[in-house]
Amino acid sequence: MALKPVTRKSVSDQVFDQVLDEVVDGSLAAGEQLPSERQLAEVLGVSRPAVREALQRMAQTRLVEVRHGGGATVRDFRRYGGLDLLPRLLVRGGGIDPAVARSIVEARTSIGPGIAALAAERGGPALGVALDAVVERLSGTTDPVAWQELALEFWDVVVDGADSIVFRLMFNGLRAAYEPALPALAPALAGEVGQVDPYRVLTAAIGAGDPATARAAAERVLAPTNESLISAFAALTETPGGDD
Amino acid sequence: MALKPVTRKSVSDQVFDQVLDEVVDGSLAAGEQLPSERQLAEVLGVSRPAVREALQRMAQTRLVEVRHGGGATVRDFRRYGGLDLLPRLLVRGGGIDPAVARSIVEARTSIGPGIAALAAERGGPALGVALDAVVERLSGTTDPVAWQELALEFWDVVVDGADSIVFRLMFNGLRAAYEPALPALAPALAGEVGQVDPYRVLTAAIGAGDPATARAAAERVLAPTNESLISAFAALTETPGGDD
DNA sequence: GTTGGTCAAGTGGTAAGACCAGTGACGGCG
DNA sequence: CGCCGTCACTGGTCTTACCACTTGACCAAC
């Protein structure tokens, strides 16, 4: 009997989710006016403060624009949305959106090597040691989920070594989208468990302060995961998967 | 007589800003407990709903964690923060943070070429035409601010052509951080106004569907701006600059 | 007709007070 | 000593009221 933690979503959370869904799936088109707070409150059967908290959060993500006395307007999420709505786009409509999944893979592949090169430039030997420690733990791991978690931590350390805050913030956003899906994703990526050699090569290049080699090594670390990720996402389309 | 729009910040905005500032500058360290909503409301002289809206927005950006009945905890913004707090980090402490500025330049340089290559792969001739139109407008522009706006729009079109939602969302976040600073930044970048040739080369490569050439061309588009950007940010350190 | 002003209705912003629902620590009881 | 209930405190929600702003209609003066 597998028990799972009870989820208790607050009212404002639910309002937020509903409005966000309508914005993302186009039921509320860009430029459209939202119902007034009072109307929303009545329709949804909740209080106005609850609605307001949800709308303020929507405004915080730049998905709606609220003007004092002038109502709230939906904005084009493709034009104004941030990385934070990546999870919502990924699971669009009950299944995984393959275009979004592909895009995540592309971003990994495209950005990772550059970060590795920066880390090689700046990290110094200390970074190599830190990475070695992670790789060591990686080599002793057989559980797919734990392995992916460690892979994520490996990159976390690399990103720290790159010492470039923009990459750091991007990584945070991607991780926030990626990590919750790990339990559902990891089994499909089980094939790469145990393949620590690419990580060792990358670690060595970074520790040696060799950006060019690090860039190439990063590509070899990321490449094998890519096709597996795409198919993993595809396989997830009709699978319940890890929620929240 | 230069008039500027009157700014009227709502109470919850001000609370949000204050708390955010304290988190970013470390007055509220990671792991620390925030005062209770009731205490905050009393200390700041505002109502509890106003405080709640601000805290909910903080939670939305993953900078604080709120547990029902268990208070609110500050999280490490370097570990959990998203791209949306880039503007705040950039102007840390009244001046421009050079490390953040450098990082923005690095991200431009590192990611731009990959996006250009993707756009070349996927855009087709139609994308070339769209880019041509922007370049044409670019060539007729002498005002520095307008020129930078158009450069931003050029990349906007490129990112659309790359058809990869993650890059799109990243670009949105960077743009949201970059655009407000443009009026203050553009004059320092006036040197590049009129240099449309790199853009033409890039446009041609993308229109021709040549990823490798597009990648190289993108580097040549971005490179000249980089040193100017760094010094522009530096010059901005002791200049009022565009607020909000 | 255009300009400018006033007004009313609707909307978001703020406040106060009350109560519900979790959390956590303290102290009594076995 | 350990378990467990109580209670104070915290966040979550609702109600009600009022303020501030936007919009559009209407009207007077030019």
Side-chain angles (χ1 to χ4, degrees), chain A residues 52-53 57 60 78-79 81 102-103 106 122 163-164 166 172 175, chain B residues 52-53 57 60 78-79 81 102-103 106 122 163-166 172 175:
Chain A
R52 278 188 55 80
E53 284 181 15
R57 285 169 59 194
Q60 180 65 28
R78 285 196 53 210
R79 168 65 180 76
R102 187 206 60 185
S103 178
E106 284 166 2
R122 297 182 182 147
D163 192 28
S164 200
V166 174
N172 291 344
R175 181 174 190 156
Chain B
R52 278 187 56 81
E53 283 179 16
R57 285 170 58 194
Q60 180 65 27
R78 284 196 54 207
R79 168 66 181 77
R102 186 206 60 184
S103 178
E106 284 166 2
R122 296 182 183 146
D163 192 28
S164 200
I165 186 67
V166 174
N172 290 345
R175 180 173 189 157

PDB file of all heavy atoms in Angstrom, chain A residues 52-53 57 60 78-79 81 102-103 106 122 163-164 166 172 175, chain B residues 52-53 57 60 78-79 81 102-103 106 122 163-166 172 175:
ATOM      1  N   ARG A  52      -7.260  38.366  -5.106  1.00  0.00           N
ATOM      2  CA  ARG A  52      -6.204  39.371  -5.268  1.00  0.00           C
ATOM      3  C   ARG A  52      -4.816  38.755  -5.128  1.00  0.00           C
ATOM      4  O   ARG A  52      -3.915  39.059  -5.904  1.00  0.00           O
ATOM      5  CB  ARG A  52      -6.384  40.481  -4.230  1.00  0.00           C
ATOM      6  CG  ARG A  52      -7.409  41.520  -4.632  1.00  0.00           C
ATOM      7  CD  ARG A  52      -7.403  42.685  -3.661  1.00  0.00           C
ATOM      8  NE  ARG A  52      -6.084  43.277  -3.525  1.00  0.00           N
ATOM      9  CZ  ARG A  52      -5.562  44.127  -4.400  1.00  0.00           C
ATOM     10  NH1 ARG A  52      -6.242  44.461  -5.475  1.00  0.00           N
ATOM     11  NH2 ARG A  52      -4.372  44.632  -4.218  1.00  0.00           N
ATOM     12  N   GLU A  53      -4.648  37.895  -4.131  1.00  0.00           N
ATOM     13  CA  GLU A  53      -3.338  37.264  -3.966  1.00  0.00           C
ATOM     14  C   GLU A  53      -2.937  36.508  -5.227  1.00  0.00           C
ATOM     15  O   GLU A  53      -1.790  36.569  -5.672  1.00  0.00           O
ATOM     16  CB  GLU A  53      -3.360  36.315  -2.760  1.00  0.00           C
ATOM     17  CG  GLU A  53      -3.302  37.047  -1.433  1.00  0.00           C
ATOM     18  CD  GLU A  53      -3.312  36.089  -0.250  1.00  0.00           C
ATOM     19  OE1 GLU A  53      -3.088  34.885  -0.458  1.00  0.00           O
ATOM     20  OE2 GLU A  53      -3.567  36.552   0.873  1.00  0.00           O
ATOM     21  N   ARG A  57       0.138  37.506  -7.846  1.00  0.00           N
ATOM     22  CA  ARG A  57       1.186  36.550  -8.226  1.00  0.00           C
ATOM     23  C   ARG A  57       1.274  36.438  -9.744  1.00  0.00           C
ATOM     24  O   ARG A  57       2.366  36.327 -10.302  1.00  0.00           O
ATOM     25  CB  ARG A  57       0.893  35.184  -7.604  1.00  0.00           C
ATOM     26  CG  ARG A  57       1.195  35.132  -6.122  1.00  0.00           C
ATOM     27  CD  ARG A  57       0.643  33.876  -5.489  1.00  0.00           C
ATOM     28  NE  ARG A  57       1.169  32.667  -6.085  1.00  0.00           N
ATOM     29  CZ  ARG A  57       0.656  31.452  -5.909  1.00  0.00           C
ATOM     30  NH1 ARG A  57      -0.406  31.320  -5.138  1.00  0.00           N
ATOM     31  NH2 ARG A  57       1.187  30.414  -6.479  1.00  0.00           N
ATOM     32  N   GLN A  60       3.182  39.284 -10.876  1.00  0.00           N
ATOM     33  CA  GLN A  60       4.595  39.116 -10.548  1.00  0.00           C
ATOM     34  C   GLN A  60       5.315  38.325 -11.640  1.00  0.00           C
ATOM     35  O   GLN A  60       6.485  38.568 -11.916  1.00  0.00           O
ATOM     36  CB  GLN A  60       4.718  38.393  -9.200  1.00  0.00           C
ATOM     37  CG  GLN A  60       6.137  38.160  -8.743  1.00  0.00           C
ATOM     38  CD  GLN A  60       6.858  39.462  -8.468  1.00  0.00           C
ATOM     39  OE1 GLN A  60       6.236  40.449  -8.118  1.00  0.00           O
ATOM     40  NE2 GLN A  60       8.167  39.461  -8.638  1.00  0.00           N
ATOM     41  N   ARG A  78       4.126  34.086 -24.225  1.00  0.00           N
ATOM     42  CA  ARG A  78       5.293  33.754 -25.041  1.00  0.00           C
ATOM     43  C   ARG A  78       6.219  34.954 -25.157  1.00  0.00           C
ATOM     44  O   ARG A  78       7.417  34.803 -25.413  1.00  0.00           O
ATOM     45  CB  ARG A  78       4.860  33.308 -26.438  1.00  0.00           C
ATOM     46  CG  ARG A  78       4.294  31.898 -26.447  1.00  0.00           C
ATOM     47  CD  ARG A  78       4.248  31.364 -27.884  1.00  0.00           C
ATOM     48  NE  ARG A  78       5.536  31.472 -28.551  1.00  0.00           N
ATOM     49  CZ  ARG A  78       5.705  31.633 -29.872  1.00  0.00           C
ATOM     50  NH1 ARG A  78       4.669  31.709 -30.658  1.00  0.00           N
ATOM     51  NH2 ARG A  78       6.917  31.714 -30.402  1.00  0.00           N
ATOM     52  N   ARG A  79       5.667  36.128 -24.993  1.00  0.00           N
ATOM     53  CA  ARG A  79       6.482  37.323 -25.124  1.00  0.00           C
ATOM     54  C   ARG A  79       7.020  37.801 -23.775  1.00  0.00           C
ATOM     55  O   ARG A  79       8.098  38.394 -23.698  1.00  0.00           O
ATOM     56  CB  ARG A  79       5.648  38.426 -25.779  1.00  0.00           C
ATOM     57  CG  ARG A  79       6.225  39.822 -25.750  1.00  0.00           C
ATOM     58  CD  ARG A  79       7.494  39.920 -26.566  1.00  0.00           C
ATOM     59  NE  ARG A  79       8.032  41.284 -26.510  1.00  0.00           N
ATOM     60  CZ  ARG A  79       8.678  41.784 -25.475  1.00  0.00           C
ATOM     61  NH1 ARG A  79       8.887  41.044 -24.408  1.00  0.00           N
ATOM     62  NH2 ARG A  79       9.138  43.022 -25.513  1.00  0.00           N
ATOM     63  N   GLY A  81       6.579  35.855 -20.603  1.00  0.00           N
ATOM     64  CA  GLY A  81       6.764  34.825 -19.583  1.00  0.00           C
ATOM     65  C   GLY A  81       8.216  34.584 -19.232  1.00  0.00           C
ATOM     66  O   GLY A  81       9.106  34.795 -20.055  1.00  0.00           O
ATOM     67  N   ARG A 102      11.840  19.004 -26.204  1.00  0.00           N
ATOM     68  CA  ARG A 102      12.949  19.161 -27.143  1.00  0.00           C
ATOM     69  C   ARG A 102      13.723  20.436 -26.834  1.00  0.00           C
ATOM     70  O   ARG A 102      14.962  20.463 -26.847  1.00  0.00           O
ATOM     71  CB  ARG A 102      12.385  19.227 -28.569  1.00  0.00           C
ATOM     72  CG  ARG A 102      13.422  19.234 -29.652  1.00  0.00           C
ATOM     73  CD  ARG A 102      12.867  19.932 -30.893  1.00  0.00           C
ATOM     74  NE  ARG A 102      12.507  21.316 -30.592  1.00  0.00           N
ATOM     75  CZ  ARG A 102      11.916  22.125 -31.443  1.00  0.00           C
ATOM     76  NH1 ARG A 102      11.547  21.687 -32.634  1.00  0.00           N
ATOM     77  NH2 ARG A 102      11.632  23.375 -31.098  1.00  0.00           N
ATOM     78  N   SER A 103      12.980  21.484 -26.513  1.00  0.00           N
ATOM     79  CA  SER A 103      13.621  22.759 -26.243  1.00  0.00           C
ATOM     80  C   SER A 103      14.503  22.700 -24.999  1.00  0.00           C
ATOM     81  O   SER A 103      15.588  23.293 -24.962  1.00  0.00           O
ATOM     82  CB  SER A 103      12.559  23.838 -26.080  1.00  0.00           C
ATOM     83  OG  SER A 103      13.164  25.076 -25.779  1.00  0.00           O
ATOM     84  N   GLU A 106      17.622  21.088 -25.978  1.00  0.00           N
ATOM     85  CA  GLU A 106      18.444  22.019 -26.761  1.00  0.00           C
ATOM     86  C   GLU A 106      19.163  23.016 -25.865  1.00  0.00           C
ATOM     87  O   GLU A 106      20.344  23.319 -26.074  1.00  0.00           O
ATOM     88  CB  GLU A 106      17.571  22.768 -27.765  1.00  0.00           C
ATOM     89  CG  GLU A 106      17.172  21.940 -28.967  1.00  0.00           C
ATOM     90  CD  GLU A 106      16.044  22.579 -29.757  1.00  0.00           C
ATOM     91  OE1 GLU A 106      15.618  23.695 -29.374  1.00  0.00           O
ATOM     92  OE2 GLU A 106      15.590  21.958 -30.730  1.00  0.00           O
ATOM     93  N   ARG A 122      37.782  29.775 -14.400  1.00  0.00           N
ATOM     94  CA  ARG A 122      37.753  30.467 -13.113  1.00  0.00           C
ATOM     95  C   ARG A 122      37.828  29.578 -11.892  1.00  0.00           C
ATOM     96  O   ARG A 122      38.152  30.059 -10.801  1.00  0.00           O
ATOM     97  CB  ARG A 122      36.447  31.284 -13.022  1.00  0.00           C
ATOM     98  CG  ARG A 122      36.389  32.332 -14.074  1.00  0.00           C
ATOM     99  CD  ARG A 122      35.152  33.161 -13.967  1.00  0.00           C
ATOM    100  NE  ARG A 122      35.142  34.128 -15.056  1.00  0.00           N
ATOM    101  CZ  ARG A 122      34.062  34.566 -15.669  1.00  0.00           C
ATOM    102  NH1 ARG A 122      32.880  34.118 -15.294  1.00  0.00           N
ATOM    103  NH2 ARG A 122      34.149  35.431 -16.653  1.00  0.00           N
ATOM    104  N   ASP A 163      30.847  31.079 -11.863  1.00  0.00           N
ATOM    105  CA  ASP A 163      30.808  32.374 -11.180  1.00  0.00           C
ATOM    106  C   ASP A 163      30.185  33.455 -12.055  1.00  0.00           C
ATOM    107  O   ASP A 163      30.731  34.548 -12.196  1.00  0.00           O
ATOM    108  CB  ASP A 163      32.226  32.776 -10.768  1.00  0.00           C
ATOM    109  CG  ASP A 163      32.197  33.960  -9.813  1.00  0.00           C
ATOM    110  OD1 ASP A 163      31.201  34.098  -9.089  1.00  0.00           O
ATOM    111  OD2 ASP A 163      33.163  34.742  -9.828  1.00  0.00           O
ATOM    112  N   SER A 164      29.057  33.123 -12.632  1.00  0.00           N
ATOM    113  CA  SER A 164      28.368  34.072 -13.502  1.00  0.00           C
ATOM    114  C   SER A 164      26.894  34.011 -13.132  1.00  0.00           C
ATOM    115  O   SER A 164      26.202  33.044 -13.433  1.00  0.00           O
ATOM    116  CB  SER A 164      28.578  33.692 -14.964  1.00  0.00           C
ATOM    117  OG  SER A 164      28.330  34.782 -15.814  1.00  0.00           O
ATOM    118  N   VAL A 166      24.108  35.223 -14.017  1.00  0.00           N
ATOM    119  CA  VAL A 166      23.018  35.006 -14.967  1.00  0.00           C
ATOM    120  C   VAL A 166      22.848  33.510 -15.243  1.00  0.00           C
ATOM    121  O   VAL A 166      21.727  32.995 -15.230  1.00  0.00           O
ATOM    122  CB  VAL A 166      23.266  35.766 -16.286  1.00  0.00           C
ATOM    123  CG1 VAL A 166      22.193  35.405 -17.311  1.00  0.00           C
ATOM    124  CG2 VAL A 166      23.282  37.263 -16.044  1.00  0.00           C
ATOM    125  N   ASN A 172      18.936  27.776 -11.956  1.00  0.00           N
ATOM    126  CA  ASN A 172      17.917  27.633 -10.914  1.00  0.00           C
ATOM    127  C   ASN A 172      16.536  27.425 -11.530  1.00  0.00           C
ATOM    128  O   ASN A 172      15.773  26.555 -11.094  1.00  0.00           O
ATOM    129  CB  ASN A 172      17.889  28.870 -10.023  1.00  0.00           C
ATOM    130  CG  ASN A 172      19.132  29.001  -9.164  1.00  0.00           C
ATOM    131  OD1 ASN A 172      19.886  28.041  -8.998  1.00  0.00           O
ATOM    132  ND2 ASN A 172      19.366  30.177  -8.638  1.00  0.00           N
ATOM    133  N   ARG A 175      16.312  24.048 -13.192  1.00  0.00           N
ATOM    134  CA  ARG A 175      16.278  23.002 -12.183  1.00  0.00           C
ATOM    135  C   ARG A 175      14.908  22.904 -11.537  1.00  0.00           C
ATOM    136  O   ARG A 175      14.396  21.800 -11.296  1.00  0.00           O
ATOM    137  CB  ARG A 175      17.335  23.283 -11.112  1.00  0.00           C
ATOM    138  CG  ARG A 175      17.375  22.228 -10.033  1.00  0.00           C
ATOM    139  CD  ARG A 175      18.522  22.468  -9.069  1.00  0.00           C
ATOM    140  NE  ARG A 175      18.701  21.340  -8.170  1.00  0.00           N
ATOM    141  CZ  ARG A 175      19.830  21.038  -7.558  1.00  0.00           C
ATOM    142  NH1 ARG A 175      20.894  21.794  -7.756  1.00  0.00           N
ATOM    143  NH2 ARG A 175      19.914  20.010  -6.760  1.00  0.00           N
TER     144      ARG A 175
ATOM    145  N   ARG B  52       0.499  40.274   3.218  1.00  0.00           N
ATOM    146  CA  ARG B  52       0.338  38.948   2.634  1.00  0.00           C
ATOM    147  C   ARG B  52       0.580  38.964   1.122  1.00  0.00           C
ATOM    148  O   ARG B  52       1.258  38.084   0.588  1.00  0.00           O
ATOM    149  CB  ARG B  52      -1.056  38.410   2.931  1.00  0.00           C
ATOM    150  CG  ARG B  52      -1.188  37.796   4.308  1.00  0.00           C
ATOM    151  CD  ARG B  52      -2.546  37.134   4.476  1.00  0.00           C
ATOM    152  NE  ARG B  52      -2.798  36.149   3.444  1.00  0.00           N
ATOM    153  CZ  ARG B  52      -2.316  34.914   3.468  1.00  0.00           C
ATOM    154  NH1 ARG B  52      -1.545  34.538   4.455  1.00  0.00           N
ATOM    155  NH2 ARG B  52      -2.597  34.076   2.500  1.00  0.00           N
ATOM    156  N   GLU B  53       0.029  39.969   0.456  1.00  0.00           N
ATOM    157  CA  GLU B  53       0.237  40.035  -0.994  1.00  0.00           C
ATOM    158  C   GLU B  53       1.725  40.106  -1.312  1.00  0.00           C
ATOM    159  O   GLU B  53       2.207  39.454  -2.242  1.00  0.00           O
ATOM    160  CB  GLU B  53      -0.498  41.253  -1.571  1.00  0.00           C
ATOM    161  CG  GLU B  53      -1.994  41.042  -1.691  1.00  0.00           C
ATOM    162  CD  GLU B  53      -2.712  42.267  -2.249  1.00  0.00           C
ATOM    163  OE1 GLU B  53      -2.050  43.153  -2.817  1.00  0.00           O
ATOM    164  OE2 GLU B  53      -3.945  42.330  -2.109  1.00  0.00           O
ATOM    165  N   ARG B  57       3.959  37.144  -3.206  1.00  0.00           N
ATOM    166  CA  ARG B  57       4.774  37.420  -4.389  1.00  0.00           C
ATOM    167  C   ARG B  57       6.207  36.970  -4.150  1.00  0.00           C
ATOM    168  O   ARG B  57       6.859  36.438  -5.058  1.00  0.00           O
ATOM    169  CB  ARG B  57       4.730  38.912  -4.712  1.00  0.00           C
ATOM    170  CG  ARG B  57       3.413  39.344  -5.348  1.00  0.00           C
ATOM    171  CD  ARG B  57       3.293  40.842  -5.424  1.00  0.00           C
ATOM    172  NE  ARG B  57       4.375  41.466  -6.162  1.00  0.00           N
ATOM    173  CZ  ARG B  57       4.642  42.766  -6.135  1.00  0.00           C
ATOM    174  NH1 ARG B  57       3.914  43.576  -5.375  1.00  0.00           N
ATOM    175  NH2 ARG B  57       5.635  43.255  -6.842  1.00  0.00           N
ATOM    176  N   GLN B  60       6.259  33.402  -4.672  1.00  0.00           N
ATOM    177  CA  GLN B  60       6.145  33.087  -6.091  1.00  0.00           C
ATOM    178  C   GLN B  60       7.512  33.099  -6.765  1.00  0.00           C
ATOM    179  O   GLN B  60       7.773  32.331  -7.678  1.00  0.00           O
ATOM    180  CB  GLN B  60       5.213  34.112  -6.760  1.00  0.00           C
ATOM    181  CG  GLN B  60       5.015  33.898  -8.238  1.00  0.00           C
ATOM    182  CD  GLN B  60       4.308  32.595  -8.518  1.00  0.00           C
ATOM    183  OE1 GLN B  60       3.550  32.113  -7.695  1.00  0.00           O
ATOM    184  NE2 GLN B  60       4.573  32.019  -9.674  1.00  0.00           N
ATOM    185  N   ARG B  78      20.605  32.947  -4.235  1.00  0.00           N
ATOM    186  CA  ARG B  78      21.578  32.488  -5.228  1.00  0.00           C
ATOM    187  C   ARG B  78      21.282  31.052  -5.649  1.00  0.00           C
ATOM    188  O   ARG B  78      21.656  30.618  -6.731  1.00  0.00           O
ATOM    189  CB  ARG B  78      22.996  32.577  -4.660  1.00  0.00           C
ATOM    190  CG  ARG B  78      23.527  33.997  -4.637  1.00  0.00           C
ATOM    191  CD  ARG B  78      25.042  33.982  -4.451  1.00  0.00           C
ATOM    192  NE  ARG B  78      25.702  33.160  -5.449  1.00  0.00           N
ATOM    193  CZ  ARG B  78      26.857  32.546  -5.280  1.00  0.00           C
ATOM    194  NH1 ARG B  78      27.489  32.637  -4.139  1.00  0.00           N
ATOM    195  NH2 ARG B  78      27.391  31.810  -6.246  1.00  0.00           N
ATOM    196  N   ARG B  79      20.610  30.332  -4.776  1.00  0.00           N
ATOM    197  CA  ARG B  79      20.319  28.941  -5.091  1.00  0.00           C
ATOM    198  C   ARG B  79      18.935  28.761  -5.714  1.00  0.00           C
ATOM    199  O   ARG B  79      18.721  27.843  -6.499  1.00  0.00           O
ATOM    200  CB  ARG B  79      20.437  28.112  -3.805  1.00  0.00           C
ATOM    201  CG  ARG B  79      19.898  26.703  -3.868  1.00  0.00           C
ATOM    202  CD  ARG B  79      20.697  25.823  -4.811  1.00  0.00           C
ATOM    203  NE  ARG B  79      20.127  24.469  -4.861  1.00  0.00           N
ATOM    204  CZ  ARG B  79      19.020  24.153  -5.539  1.00  0.00           C
ATOM    205  NH1 ARG B  79      18.392  25.093  -6.217  1.00  0.00           N
ATOM    206  NH2 ARG B  79      18.568  22.921  -5.551  1.00  0.00           N
ATOM    207  N   GLY B  81      16.788  31.688  -6.687  1.00  0.00           N
ATOM    208  CA  GLY B  81      16.288  32.838  -7.429  1.00  0.00           C
ATOM    209  C   GLY B  81      16.182  32.582  -8.921  1.00  0.00           C
ATOM    210  O   GLY B  81      16.934  31.767  -9.469  1.00  0.00           O
ATOM    211  N   ARG B 102      29.075  41.991 -15.943  1.00  0.00           N
ATOM    212  CA  ARG B 102      29.957  41.092 -16.693  1.00  0.00           C
ATOM    213  C   ARG B 102      29.232  39.804 -17.037  1.00  0.00           C
ATOM    214  O   ARG B 102      29.323  39.278 -18.145  1.00  0.00           O
ATOM    215  CB  ARG B 102      31.186  40.773 -15.836  1.00  0.00           C
ATOM    216  CG  ARG B 102      32.254  39.977 -16.534  1.00  0.00           C
ATOM    217  CD  ARG B 102      33.069  39.199 -15.507  1.00  0.00           C
ATOM    218  NE  ARG B 102      32.206  38.277 -14.763  1.00  0.00           N
ATOM    219  CZ  ARG B 102      32.608  37.523 -13.747  1.00  0.00           C
ATOM    220  NH1 ARG B 102      33.836  37.628 -13.309  1.00  0.00           N
ATOM    221  NH2 ARG B 102      31.771  36.700 -13.154  1.00  0.00           N
ATOM    222  N   SER B 103      28.468  39.320 -16.074  1.00  0.00           N
ATOM    223  CA  SER B 103      27.759  38.069 -16.287  1.00  0.00           C
ATOM    224  C   SER B 103      26.717  38.192 -17.392  1.00  0.00           C
ATOM    225  O   SER B 103      26.541  37.278 -18.204  1.00  0.00           O
ATOM    226  CB  SER B 103      27.092  37.626 -14.982  1.00  0.00           C
ATOM    227  OG  SER B 103      26.368  36.445 -15.182  1.00  0.00           O
ATOM    228  N   GLU B 106      28.485  37.966 -20.567  1.00  0.00           N
ATOM    229  CA  GLU B 106      28.893  36.580 -20.825  1.00  0.00           C
ATOM    230  C   GLU B 106      27.738  35.746 -21.339  1.00  0.00           C
ATOM    231  O   GLU B 106      27.891  34.932 -22.259  1.00  0.00           O
ATOM    232  CB  GLU B 106      29.440  35.948 -19.536  1.00  0.00           C
ATOM    233  CG  GLU B 106      30.834  36.406 -19.197  1.00  0.00           C
ATOM    234  CD  GLU B 106      31.209  36.052 -17.768  1.00  0.00           C
ATOM    235  OE1 GLU B 106      30.381  35.413 -17.077  1.00  0.00           O
ATOM    236  OE2 GLU B 106      32.326  36.408 -17.353  1.00  0.00           O
ATOM    237  N   ARG B 122      15.990  26.416 -38.642  1.00  0.00           N
ATOM    238  CA  ARG B 122      14.534  26.276 -38.666  1.00  0.00           C
ATOM    239  C   ARG B 122      13.775  27.417 -39.318  1.00  0.00           C
ATOM    240  O   ARG B 122      12.626  27.241 -39.707  1.00  0.00           O
ATOM    241  CB  ARG B 122      14.030  26.151 -37.229  1.00  0.00           C
ATOM    242  CG  ARG B 122      14.555  24.900 -36.588  1.00  0.00           C
ATOM    243  CD  ARG B 122      14.036  24.734 -35.183  1.00  0.00           C
ATOM    244  NE  ARG B 122      14.631  23.548 -34.608  1.00  0.00           N
ATOM    245  CZ  ARG B 122      14.945  23.401 -33.333  1.00  0.00           C
ATOM    246  NH1 ARG B 122      14.721  24.397 -32.501  1.00  0.00           N
ATOM    247  NH2 ARG B 122      15.479  22.286 -32.890  1.00  0.00           N
ATOM    248  N   ASP B 163      12.622  28.959 -32.450  1.00  0.00           N
ATOM    249  CA  ASP B 163      11.474  28.105 -32.127  1.00  0.00           C
ATOM    250  C   ASP B 163      11.798  27.138 -30.995  1.00  0.00           C
ATOM    251  O   ASP B 163      11.521  25.948 -31.083  1.00  0.00           O
ATOM    252  CB  ASP B 163      11.053  27.323 -33.385  1.00  0.00           C
ATOM    253  CG  ASP B 163       9.699  26.661 -33.182  1.00  0.00           C
ATOM    254  OD1 ASP B 163       8.900  27.190 -32.406  1.00  0.00           O
ATOM    255  OD2 ASP B 163       9.465  25.601 -33.799  1.00  0.00           O
ATOM    256  N   SER B 164      12.379  27.670 -29.952  1.00  0.00           N
ATOM    257  CA  SER B 164      12.733  26.851 -28.798  1.00  0.00           C
ATOM    258  C   SER B 164      12.300  27.619 -27.554  1.00  0.00           C
ATOM    259  O   SER B 164      12.898  28.638 -27.195  1.00  0.00           O
ATOM    260  CB  SER B 164      14.242  26.601 -28.788  1.00  0.00           C
ATOM    261  OG  SER B 164      14.561  25.481 -28.004  1.00  0.00           O
ATOM    262  N   ILE B 165      11.254  27.123 -26.925  1.00  0.00           N
ATOM    263  CA  ILE B 165      10.574  27.915 -25.917  1.00  0.00           C
ATOM    264  C   ILE B 165      11.467  28.286 -24.745  1.00  0.00           C
ATOM    265  O   ILE B 165      11.327  29.365 -24.158  1.00  0.00           O
ATOM    266  CB  ILE B 165       9.301  27.184 -25.414  1.00  0.00           C
ATOM    267  CG1 ILE B 165       8.494  28.050 -24.476  1.00  0.00           C
ATOM    268  CG2 ILE B 165       9.662  25.858 -24.798  1.00  0.00           C
ATOM    269  CD1 ILE B 165       7.863  29.253 -25.127  1.00  0.00           C
ATOM    270  N   VAL B 166      12.415  27.409 -24.401  1.00  0.00           N
ATOM    271  CA  VAL B 166      13.281  27.717 -23.262  1.00  0.00           C
ATOM    272  C   VAL B 166      14.112  28.961 -23.546  1.00  0.00           C
ATOM    273  O   VAL B 166      14.217  29.865 -22.702  1.00  0.00           O
ATOM    274  CB  VAL B 166      14.198  26.526 -22.927  1.00  0.00           C
ATOM    275  CG1 VAL B 166      15.176  26.916 -21.839  1.00  0.00           C
ATOM    276  CG2 VAL B 166      13.375  25.325 -22.503  1.00  0.00           C
ATOM    277  N   ASN B 172      13.112  36.535 -22.696  1.00  0.00           N
ATOM    278  CA  ASN B 172      12.132  37.407 -22.050  1.00  0.00           C
ATOM    279  C   ASN B 172      12.676  37.936 -20.729  1.00  0.00           C
ATOM    280  O   ASN B 172      12.554  39.121 -20.422  1.00  0.00           O
ATOM    281  CB  ASN B 172      10.826  36.651 -21.798  1.00  0.00           C
ATOM    282  CG  ASN B 172      10.086  36.345 -23.085  1.00  0.00           C
ATOM    283  OD1 ASN B 172      10.378  36.915 -24.135  1.00  0.00           O
ATOM    284  ND2 ASN B 172       9.141  35.430 -23.008  1.00  0.00           N
ATOM    285  N   ARG B 175      15.526  40.325 -21.296  1.00  0.00           N
ATOM    286  CA  ARG B 175      15.023  41.571 -21.853  1.00  0.00           C
ATOM    287  C   ARG B 175      14.369  42.424 -20.772  1.00  0.00           C
ATOM    288  O   ARG B 175      14.543  43.642 -20.732  1.00  0.00           O
ATOM    289  CB  ARG B 175      14.006  41.271 -22.954  1.00  0.00           C
ATOM    290  CG  ARG B 175      13.448  42.509 -23.588  1.00  0.00           C
ATOM    291  CD  ARG B 175      12.579  42.167 -24.783  1.00  0.00           C
ATOM    292  NE  ARG B 175      12.214  43.374 -25.520  1.00  0.00           N
ATOM    293  CZ  ARG B 175      11.849  43.383 -26.793  1.00  0.00           C
ATOM    294  NH1 ARG B 175      11.813  42.256 -27.463  1.00  0.00           N
ATOM    295  NH2 ARG B 175      11.539  44.505 -27.400  1.00  0.00           N
TER     296      ARG B 175
END
